[in-house]
Amino acid sequence: MKIVEKDFRVISKNRSQMIDITNQVSSLVGQSGITNGDVIVYCPHTTAAITINENADPSVPHDILLTLEELVPHHRSGYRHSEGNSDAHCKSSIIGCSRQIPIKDGSLNLGSWQGIFFCEFDGPRSRKVIVQIRGE
Ligand code: ZN
């Protein structure tokens, strides 16, 4: 089994934002030469996350962020963390910092409506995404 590890930067513009990174991941998979296996998309940050969801209608990421904001408000009584970004830490843990996607015949085996999103919860910032491609 071959393992290829790459990374790239994502620049967020808003405090909360979902950025479609499907094309970046897909081209790294193409460059790796691995045609069957899987890819782990990982973000090494405590206030960001990686998810997979619909990237055809931009209303979907909007509604996900709206829902997360309602579930986990930016400001509420009881938070102790002094940086003022407790909501971002909670959202990061709820969504999770990585996703695994199968690679089949040289391509990401995503559903036709699925895309990979980097989720920013404490932007704007420059962030890193690590992509580990494994297989034959
Ligand atoms: Zn913090």
Side-chain angles (χ1 to χ4, degrees):
M1 187 178 74
K2 188 174 155 191
I3 298 178
V4 176
E5 188 172 302
K6 300 279 180 189
D7 61 71
F8 61 91
R9 307 296 303 186
V10 173
I11 311 290
S12 60
K13 293 183 184 137
N14 303 321
R15 181 160 195 275
S16 284
Q17 188 178 1
M18 288 174 66
I19 299 166
D20 188 343
I21 56 169
T22 313
N23 288 340
Q24 289 98 314
V25 175
S26 184
S27 50
L28 290 174
V29 167
Q31 289 163 27
S32 75
I34 291 171
T35 51
N36 288 287
D38 62 24
V39 56
I40 295 169
V41 182
Y42 175 80
C43 79
H45 301 289
T46 60
T47 55
I50 303 291
T51 196
I52 295 173
N53 214 298
E54 178 172 336
N55 65 352
D57 179 0
S59 299
V60 173
H62 170 273
D63 292 353
I64 291 171
L65 292 176
L66 183 74
T67 302
L68 279 172
E69 194 56 38
E70 191 173 313
L71 292 171
V72 187
H74 187 181
H75 301 290
R76 55 162 284 205
S77 62
Y79 285 149
R80 291 185 178 176
H81 180 53
S82 61
E83 286 184 316
N85 62 354
S86 292
D87 65 315
H89 288 285
C90 294
K91 290 166 187 162
S92 170
S93 273
I94 289 168
I95 301 295
C97 60
S98 71
R99 285 294 187 273
Q100 182 180 21
I101 302 130
I103 300 165
K104 188 181 175 190
D105 301 328
S107 299
L108 295 171
N109 200 2
L110 290 166
S112 43
W113 302 107
Q114 285 183 316
I116 309 162
F117 288 92
F118 176 86
C119 305
E120 174 63 79
F121 298 124
D122 195 26
R125 289 182 192 233
S126 170
R127 301 290 207 169
K128 184 178 181 178
V129 175
I130 295 168
V131 176
Q132 190 181 75
I133 306 149
R134 312 179 300 182
E136 311 287 333

